[in-house]
Amino acid sequence: MAPSPLSPLRKALRPYRSVFVVYDRNVEAWARQIAALRPGAPLFALTADEAHKTPETALDICRWLLVQGADRKALLLAVGGGITTDLAGFAACIYKRGIHYANVPTTLLAQVDAGLGGKTGANLDGYKNMVGVIRQPEFVCILPGTLETLPDRAFRSGVAELLKTFLIGDAAAYEKAVALLRKGRPAPDDPELGGLIRRAAAIKQAIVDCDEQERGRRRVLNLGHTYAHALEWYQQTHRCADPLTHGEAVAVGLVCAARLSERLGLAQEGLARRIEDDLRACGLPTALPCPEEALEEAVRKDKKAEGDQVCFVLLRSIGHVVLKKL
Ligand code: GLY
């Protein structure tokens, strides 16, 4: 008989005396299966959207932990996408000044990016991720089957972060990923997809391991994000109908970053065109939905800006990036 896909998670949970599960309502069936690994584990359902990603929701999780009698040896397990893992992680970092937490990311984006690296937090008064803590989870368990319920658009958002990671650190994996994903969406249990997710997670983890607090090298993970954040800000302030998702904004941002790299003479001509074609073949948007000048103010306001300088992540070639203050 084949081993259950949940066996590694059952083993990972064994050392913890008590387990509390915070989950996104959209993956309730998975959360219940996972909680059943520890009979009696209490569950807390989240409406996982940006409007609910607030300090108040994190405090609601803390109040629930208190009512449930969670002590400092408890493990808080997040089951969901990046909003869920950020919020649950944040609650775990502040409840009783910090309890253990772990993630079961159920979106592709969270499996290759948001669920890894220890960034936790919430939005504040409409500003994204303005409060938070960086502290590493006890473990991250990727269950490929959880991708089955993910809508196509959300899957493609994750593809943008997957390709971003390979643009940063692995040209061969980038080629493989584009070859696979341009054929359409693979089955969740496709071994090639599983291998690419593990590779991207390993690249991110290695970068985080050498600069957890994002003082230097970790910044490369923001490739494409300076423009993406500016674009998201523009869409929000202009109340755009059908705004790009975060991953889609990252796809557009990757092309902008590649173009800037060419303009500055860092990358060979043709790189931006190549990346644009690849992203489009994978079903992602690549064109700026507004004039570039409209983003300038937002780029200056980027929360990672220092004084009048913004740290851009630029490409030398696929798999090689540099940081440049501009
Ligand atoms: N998502 C970028 C980072 O974790 O540093």
Side-chain angles (χ1 to χ4, degrees), residues 113 116 119 164 204 214 218 221-222 225:
D113 189 36
L116 308 154
K119 281 189 182 172
K164 174 210 78 175
K204 172 155 185 183
E214 199 172 354
R218 182 169 183 166
L221 292 170
N222 294 321
H225 282 62

Short mmCIF file of all heavy atoms in Angstrom, two decimals, residues 113 116 119 164 204 214 218 221-222 225, ligand 1:
data_model
loop_
_atom_site.label_atom_id
_atom_site.label_comp_id
_atom_site.label_asym_id
_atom_site.label_seq_id
_atom_site.Cartn_x
_atom_site.Cartn_y
_atom_site.Cartn_z
N ASP A 113 7.17 30.79 -2.10
CA ASP A 113 7.61 32.10 -1.61
C ASP A 113 7.03 32.44 -0.22
O ASP A 113 7.71 32.33 0.79
CB ASP A 113 7.26 33.19 -2.62
CG ASP A 113 7.89 34.53 -2.27
OD1 ASP A 113 9.02 34.54 -1.75
OD2 ASP A 113 7.25 35.57 -2.48
N LEU A 116 7.51 30.47 3.10
CA LEU A 116 8.89 30.16 3.50
C LEU A 116 9.60 31.43 3.89
O LEU A 116 9.28 32.51 3.38
CB LEU A 116 9.67 29.61 2.30
CG LEU A 116 9.10 28.47 1.51
CD1 LEU A 116 9.65 28.51 0.10
CD2 LEU A 116 9.45 27.16 2.17
N LYS A 119 8.80 35.49 7.12
CA LYS A 119 8.15 36.81 7.21
C LYS A 119 6.70 36.60 7.62
O LYS A 119 5.97 35.86 6.97
CB LYS A 119 8.20 37.52 5.86
CG LYS A 119 9.54 38.15 5.56
CD LYS A 119 9.47 39.01 4.32
CE LYS A 119 10.84 39.61 4.00
NZ LYS A 119 10.86 40.30 2.72
N LYS A 164 10.37 33.77 -11.07
CA LYS A 164 11.21 34.81 -10.46
C LYS A 164 12.38 34.15 -9.71
O LYS A 164 13.53 34.57 -9.84
CB LYS A 164 10.38 35.64 -9.48
CG LYS A 164 11.20 36.64 -8.68
CD LYS A 164 10.60 36.92 -7.30
CE LYS A 164 10.91 35.82 -6.29
NZ LYS A 164 10.44 36.13 -4.93
N LYS A 204 15.10 29.62 -2.28
CA LYS A 204 14.69 30.69 -1.37
C LYS A 204 15.27 30.44 0.02
O LYS A 204 15.80 31.36 0.66
CB LYS A 204 13.16 30.80 -1.30
CG LYS A 204 12.76 31.77 -0.19
CD LYS A 204 11.45 32.42 -0.34
CE LYS A 204 11.28 33.44 0.81
NZ LYS A 204 10.03 34.12 0.83
N GLU A 214 17.00 40.34 6.04
CA GLU A 214 16.95 41.14 4.81
C GLU A 214 17.78 42.42 4.90
O GLU A 214 17.31 43.52 4.64
CB GLU A 214 15.50 41.48 4.45
CG GLU A 214 15.35 41.90 2.99
CD GLU A 214 13.92 42.06 2.54
OE1 GLU A 214 13.00 41.75 3.31
OE2 GLU A 214 13.74 42.49 1.40
N ARG A 218 19.18 38.90 0.86
CA ARG A 218 17.77 38.50 0.76
C ARG A 218 16.98 39.42 -0.15
O ARG A 218 15.95 39.04 -0.69
CB ARG A 218 17.14 38.44 2.16
CG ARG A 218 15.70 37.98 2.12
CD ARG A 218 15.11 37.64 3.46
NE ARG A 218 13.76 37.15 3.30
CZ ARG A 218 13.07 36.52 4.22
NH1 ARG A 218 13.61 36.30 5.41
NH2 ARG A 218 11.84 36.11 3.99
N LEU A 221 15.35 38.58 -3.52
CA LEU A 221 14.04 37.93 -3.67
C LEU A 221 12.97 38.92 -4.11
O LEU A 221 11.87 38.53 -4.47
CB LEU A 221 13.62 37.27 -2.35
CG LEU A 221 14.46 36.06 -1.94
CD1 LEU A 221 14.14 35.63 -0.51
CD2 LEU A 221 14.24 34.90 -2.89
N ASN A 222 13.31 40.20 -4.06
CA ASN A 222 12.36 41.23 -4.50
C ASN A 222 12.46 41.53 -5.99
O ASN A 222 11.91 42.53 -6.46
CB ASN A 222 12.56 42.51 -3.69
CG ASN A 222 12.21 42.30 -2.23
OD1 ASN A 222 11.25 41.59 -1.93
ND2 ASN A 222 13.00 42.85 -1.34
N HIS A 225 9.64 43.10 -7.82
CA HIS A 225 8.66 43.56 -6.83
C HIS A 225 8.59 45.07 -6.66
O HIS A 225 7.58 45.58 -6.19
CB HIS A 225 8.92 42.89 -5.47
CG HIS A 225 8.42 41.48 -5.43
ND1 HIS A 225 8.92 40.49 -6.26
CD2 HIS A 225 7.46 40.89 -4.69
CE1 HIS A 225 8.28 39.36 -6.01
NE2 HIS A 225 7.39 39.58 -5.07
N1 GLY B 1 9.03 37.39 -0.48
C1 GLY B 1 10.34 37.88 -0.31
C2 GLY B 1 10.99 37.44 0.94
O1 GLY B 1 10.48 36.54 1.61
O2 GLY B 1 12.01 37.94 1.31
#
